[in-house]
Amino acid sequence: MGLTLVLGALAACGLGAPGDKYSMPTGATSANTKSPLSNVGMESLSASRNIPVYWLGKTDGTVSLYREFVQVAGASDPIADSVRYILAEKPEDPDYFSVWHPSETVGASVSPDNVITVDISAKAFSSKLDLGLAERAIAQLVFTATAAASNAGILSEGLEPSVRILVDGQPAYDAFGHVPLDHNFVRDPKLAAPLWVIDPQYGTTKKAGRVTFHGVSAKFSGGENWKITRRDSEEDPKPVVARGTLETGGQSLDHNEFSFSHVLAPGDYTFSLWGVDAQSKKPLAKETKNFTVTE
């Protein structure tokens, strides 16, 4: 099954059935070299009701990692809750997807030297993946587990976290038939998307007035642009209510982080963000978020 069909199926039902086959796009690149994400320091909200989770998303012919913050009722174990969520739930943004299946049990622990051990059942690996998606699915779990630990403030400072994955309590499982789980995994920053939106998240509601837009972006040779369109307008194409270029860093922001605000009246909007290749003028890594503004 090609990725286009996979995305459509996942958007419709959230998860595939056991035995479904998923593959990378034809001619996909092995990694995205423009990722802005290099460590777990970004996960620092420390919000008890919000946990960070990562999903897969198609980006310029490859598949990259994107993050959402979600609320989990009765959350008590930040790492296990986050991992359980990506195995059993679906993303808020329909542009994202996951190839995992629910695990009968999820266990998690952290050692003093920041080794995060995650124990899930073999049923979680029911999908049949090619090597590229298998590697990205494991990276999705690694990014999610380290994000949850960092966000909860349970990691020791100065030590890079790693993730040990057990399957039904045993090491060295062959994940998806492609990735041996015989060693600890760390984040591969090349697999993170080159830009994405932190706020507003897809489908959220904001109060009318000054709305803040926050995210991260790599540096593109032709710059980075954004626009806000009015989604509830009957006009075609939808009217652009604001546009501009991104400025990252400065003030209290990280070098790859942007934040700005714009005054919006009540309505339904789409926030779009993309980079530009200076030579071809081609837009790259486009990311969109639908949101609503109310009185």
Side-chain angles (χ1 to χ4, degrees), residues 208-220:
R210 191 164 291 278
V211 176
T212 297
F213 299 87
H214 178 209
V216 292
S217 177
K219 290 292 186 182
F220 292 82

Side-chain angles (χ1 to χ4, degrees), residues 63-94:
V63 174
S64 301
L65 296 171
Y66 293 85
R67 188 186 68 195
E68 289 183 333
F69 278 92
V70 299
Q71 292 188 6
V72 177
S76 58
D77 184 331
I79 301 174
D81 290 335
S82 292
V83 171
R84 187 180 294 109
Y85 196 95
I86 65 168
L87 301 183
E89 304 298 334
K90 60 182 180 180
E92 295 293 332
D93 192 325

Side-chain angles (χ1 to χ4, degrees), residues 114-138:
N114 284 353
V115 176
I116 301 167
T117 300
V118 175
D119 190 355
I120 58 179
S121 67
K123 289 185 177 180
F125 300 88
S126 299
S127 297
K128 295 181 180 179
L129 312 181
D130 65 8
L131 175 60
L133 274 185
E135 291 174 338
R136 283 156 175 78
I138 296 301

Side-chain angles (χ1 to χ4, degrees), residues 17 37 39-40 51 92 99 112 123 138 160 165 171 178 180 208 237 244 250 255 273 293:
L37 190 57
N39 54 54
V40 297
I51 60 175
E92 295 293 332
V99 295
K123 289 185 177 180
I138 296 301
E160 181 181 22
I165 303 172
H178 292 292
H255 73 281
L273 180 67
V293 175

